[in-house]
Amino acid sequence: MARSALLPALLLAALGAAVRGAPPACDVPPGLWCSSRRVAAACQVEQQCLGLRRPGQPAARPVELSLYYESLCPACRQFLAAQLFPTWVMLYDILNITLVPYGNAQEKNVSGKWQFKCQHGSDECLGNMMETCLMDMLQDFDLYFLVIFCMESGSSVTGNIGACLQVYAPDIKLSDIMACVKGDRGIKLMHENAQRTDALHPPHNYVPWILVNGKHTDDLQAQAQNALFNLVCGLYTGPKPDACRSSGPSPAALKTMSRCLK
């Protein structure tokens, strides 16, 4: 399925001035809107689905981007909302994203149980854990990234999760997320994020810390934070999608390249 065919519908659902859901008859996640003519009609994206790649048609390997971040770091929220999410929407078919919420946090084993201290306080630890549990429960990136974008772009990351779930993942109960957050599963998942972050080479010294195709350099970081759309289009080795002929998301929201230092 060509992901880029979902651009208009995703933009309407997630980037509009008002938060609105899919048409009432559309009861499937965005990743399946073009799975059949019936579903496309119900979700009002028939025209956008006409250009789907035929089964078996080869595709070049998507660009891989890994984001190591903190849920309340202003620079991380800015990058995720103003660069990463719009670029993913426009280049959906040629970009794979991995999210690792932990960043500059610290962990300590106390009597056999991991405890975490976060750069921006306990609310950030809560946000990191919420997003980690959300990813674990949903598994589907197309769904959990919509929820995380909704959380990170709103006024309160931790306070917005209930409303964001209602819009983008109504089958997931907030109580189930919180059971993970407060239980052993959440601690285990956060410890894994800590291990992945501590294993970075070179070691991170700020967030957002960005890997492109498994590599981090100062140049790649600067390009990603200033013009991610252009970077992804330039690195993709297959036929360029139509979106790459546009100018991409406006960089106006990123007047300076900011970071949260370790």
Side-chain angles (χ1 to χ4, degrees):
M1 182 185 303
R3 292 176 164 188
S4 56
L6 303 180
L7 165 63
L10 286 171
L11 282 172
L12 176 61
L15 292 177
V19 175
R20 300 186 334 199
C26 180
D27 58 355
V28 298
L32 298 178
W33 284 357
C34 293
S35 59
S36 71
R37 292 183 64 182
R38 180 190 64 80
V39 173
C43 298
Q44 300 178 14
V45 291
E46 290 176 281
Q47 292 300 314
Q48 291 79 16
C49 293
L50 291 178
L52 290 180
R53 185 172 64 239
R54 295 176 182 175
Q57 182 178 345
R61 184 177 178 179
V63 175
E64 302 283 342
L65 185 143
S66 299
L67 174 64
Y68 292 77
Y69 71 106
E70 301 166 346
S71 63
L72 296 191
C73 164
C76 298
R77 297 180 67 183
Q78 183 184 49
F79 173 73
L80 190 150
Q83 287 275 8
L84 186 59
F85 184 82
T87 297
W88 173 72
V89 170
M90 298 184 74
L91 301 178
Y92 184 95
D93 206 34
I94 68 170
L95 177 62
N96 286 341
I97 298 171
T98 299
L99 301 176
V100 184
Y102 184 78
N104 297 330
Q106 299 175 344
E107 66 173 0
K108 181 170 64 173
N109 193 315
V110 179
S111 301
K113 189 172 184 177
W114 291 106
Q115 295 183 359
F116 306 96
K117 182 178 180 180
C118 296
Q119 185 172 23
H120 299 92
S122 58
D123 203 40
E124 179 167 83
C125 283
L126 175 61
N128 291 346
M129 191 79 82
M130 283 178 168
E131 294 180 6
T132 298
C133 286
L134 179 71
M135 288 187 271
D136 182 61
M137 292 186 67
L138 282 176
Q139 294 294 310
D140 185 345
F141 183 87
D142 293 359
L143 288 181
Y144 67 67
F145 194 34
L146 288 170
V147 179
I148 289 174
F149 166 76
C150 178
M151 293 169 63
E152 293 287 344
S153 60
S155 58
S156 170
V157 172
T158 56
N160 288 344
I161 186 172
C164 293
L165 285 172
Q166 289 178 14
V167 174
Y168 296 115
D171 292 337
I172 299 297
K173 297 179 180 179
L174 178 58
S175 59
D176 291 337
I177 298 289
M178 295 311 298
C180 170
V181 167
K182 297 177 181 179
D184 292 339
R185 181 62 178 170
I187 293 174
K188 177 179 181 295
L189 293 169
M190 191 56 57
H191 174 57
E192 291 174 356
N193 284 357
Q195 290 180 308
R196 294 170 69 183
T197 303
D198 291 343
L200 284 169
H201 182 75
H204 86 286
N205 48 39
Y206 55 81
V207 288
W209 188 261
I210 302 164
L211 274 63
V212 180
N213 290 333
K215 298 180 180 180
H216 175 91
T217 66
D218 291 342
D219 182 58
L220 284 172
Q221 177 83 27
Q223 289 186 65
Q225 281 198 260
N226 286 313
L228 179 62
F229 178 89
N230 293 337
L231 176 63
V232 173
C233 284
L235 290 176
Y236 184 62
T237 58
K240 306 298 183 186
D242 291 342
C244 284
R245 289 194 278 270
S246 72
S247 59
S250 170
L254 291 179
K255 296 179 181 178
T256 59
M257 187 172 63
S258 54
R259 297 166 180 170
C260 290
L261 298 178
K262 186 175 180 180

